[in-house]
Amino acid sequence: MSIFLCLMFGLLISYSTACDRCVHQSKAAYFTSSSSLSTGACEYGSLALSFNGGHLAAGVPSLFRQGVGCGACFQIRCKNQKICSSGGTKVIITDLNHKNKTDFVLSNRAFRAMAVDGKSRDLLKLRVVDVEYKRIPCEYKSKNLSVKIEEKSLKPNYLAIKFLYQGGQTDIVAVDIAQVGSANWRYMSRNANGVVWETSRVPTGALQIRMLVTGGFDGKMIWAKNEVIPANWKVGEIYDSGVQITDVAQEGCSSSSTSVCEHEHWN
């Protein structure tokens, strides 16, 4: 417990300067095929195509954040008022944008969704557009936070998991697992890509999970107290945690010329 609390304190400090309700100015481009995003750095595979109606995006390293940003949701609107709507489009990060010429590379469907009716082809012809964007809460009205058992997991000594359908506007920054009914918690570590949580100290029996989530200046524990991963867990299976994250980041924008507070700039 003490190790987890020390880790939690350190992580809260490291996230205390987050700006998750700010509006940023940048550019966005698009992929002609969504396959690049579904097989991207977040390793969601074909599942990604079912997220958010296929409105997906690759984000630059500052948004991808070594995998922490996978699954984060953003609202993006282009600034060409002749062909773009005021609402823009809502996307989920599923990949890393390596080129850094634009903050986002959107799926074709998401890019077209920024246009007003009848202007999507005109928007596609531009290829790259000026945009403004902000992070928004993810909403999965019919799904709880879920856990996917990664293919490289190997009973009984190695377990690797990935979180799916994470709601709210927060990041999971620490994960513990324990046998259901036990107080003997064991921490999991992020892998090198930052997307998968893993441990070689797997408790026996059915497993419960607790997570530290942070957003803006705040942090809290989410505890799935009942069985999340059954004792007979199988590689590739997806298990319902029974809980969902709905927290919204606190406001904490800087005075930077490229990001301003939401209430000052976004209608």
Side-chain angles (χ1 to χ4, degrees):
M1 173 67 78
S2 61
I3 293 176
F4 187 83
L5 290 176
C6 289
L7 176 62
M8 180 176 69
F9 180 75
L11 288 167
L12 286 176
I13 293 175
S14 68
Y15 276 74
S16 64
T17 57
C19 181
D20 275 343
R21 291 182 62 185
C22 303
V23 177
H24 303 267
Q25 314 296 318
S26 185
K27 295 180 182 292
Y30 67 92
F31 288 110
T32 55
S33 170
S34 294
S35 61
S36 299
L37 292 168
S38 64
T39 58
C42 292
E43 302 177 4
Y44 291 129
S46 59
L47 273 174
L49 297 176
S50 67
F51 297 161
N52 197 37
H55 288 210
L56 313 176
V60 288
S62 60
L63 298 174
F64 183 77
R65 291 178 293 141
Q66 298 180 311
V68 177
C70 287
C73 296
F74 290 85
Q75 185 172 2
I76 307 172
R77 63 183 183 187
C78 69
K79 300 172 71 174
N80 186 330
Q81 297 181 358
K82 293 182 179 179
I83 59 176
C84 297
S85 68
S86 60
T89 185
K90 297 177 182 179
V91 300
I92 294 176
I93 295 289
T94 60
D95 196 6
L96 170 63
N97 173 21
H98 297 275
K99 295 184 178 180
N100 290 322
K101 294 181 180 179
T102 65
D103 275 13
F104 291 96
V105 182
L106 309 183
S107 63
N108 184 287
R109 181 175 296 182
F111 196 86
R112 288 188 282 113
M114 291 191 294
V116 296
D117 291 344
K119 293 292 185 179
S120 60
R121 289 186 178 181
D122 294 332
L123 183 57
L124 289 176
K125 290 178 182 178
L126 296 177
R127 297 185 178 273
V128 178
V129 293
D130 292 320
V131 298
E132 54 187 8
Y133 67 89
K134 64 177 180 179
R135 187 175 177 185
I136 59 173
C138 295
E139 295 183 357
Y140 295 100
K141 296 181 180 179
S142 61
K143 291 183 180 294
N144 288 323
L145 179 71
S146 297
V147 173
K148 180 179 182 293
I149 308 297
E150 293 296 282
E151 283 71 11
K152 60 183 179 180
S153 295
L154 184 64
K155 282 187 176 181
N157 297 320
Y158 177 69
L159 176 64
I161 63 173
K162 181 184 298 169
F163 290 102
L164 303 174
Y165 315 121
Q166 180 183 342
Q169 195 180 1
T170 58
D171 302 320
I172 296 175
V173 296
V175 177
D176 275 3
I177 58 172
Q179 186 182 76
V180 173
S182 170
N184 184 21
W185 290 95
R186 299 178 182 179
Y187 69 88
M188 303 188 78
S189 302
R190 285 190 187 274
N191 70 351
N193 294 330
V195 181
V196 173
W197 294 88
E198 58 189 1
T199 182
S200 57
R201 300 171 62 246
V202 186
T204 58
L207 304 177
Q208 58 183 330
I209 295 179
R210 67 183 183 185
M211 301 147 284
L212 174 66
V213 299
T214 65
F217 292 101
D218 203 1
K220 67 181 293 185
M221 187 81 73
I222 303 292
W223 190 349
K225 297 183 180 181
N226 297 322
E227 175 184 311
V228 177
I229 301 175
N232 63 339
W233 55 265
K234 297 179 180 179
V235 168
E237 290 294 310
I238 298 174
Y239 299 107
D240 189 331
S241 73
V243 299
Q244 184 54 280
I245 299 171
T246 58
D247 299 83
V248 176
Q250 294 188 10
E251 191 169 303
C253 303
S254 69
S255 58
S256 167
S257 60
T258 59
S259 62
V260 294
C261 290
E262 175 183 350
H263 68 271
E264 293 178 351
H265 196 71
W266 196 284
N267 295 325

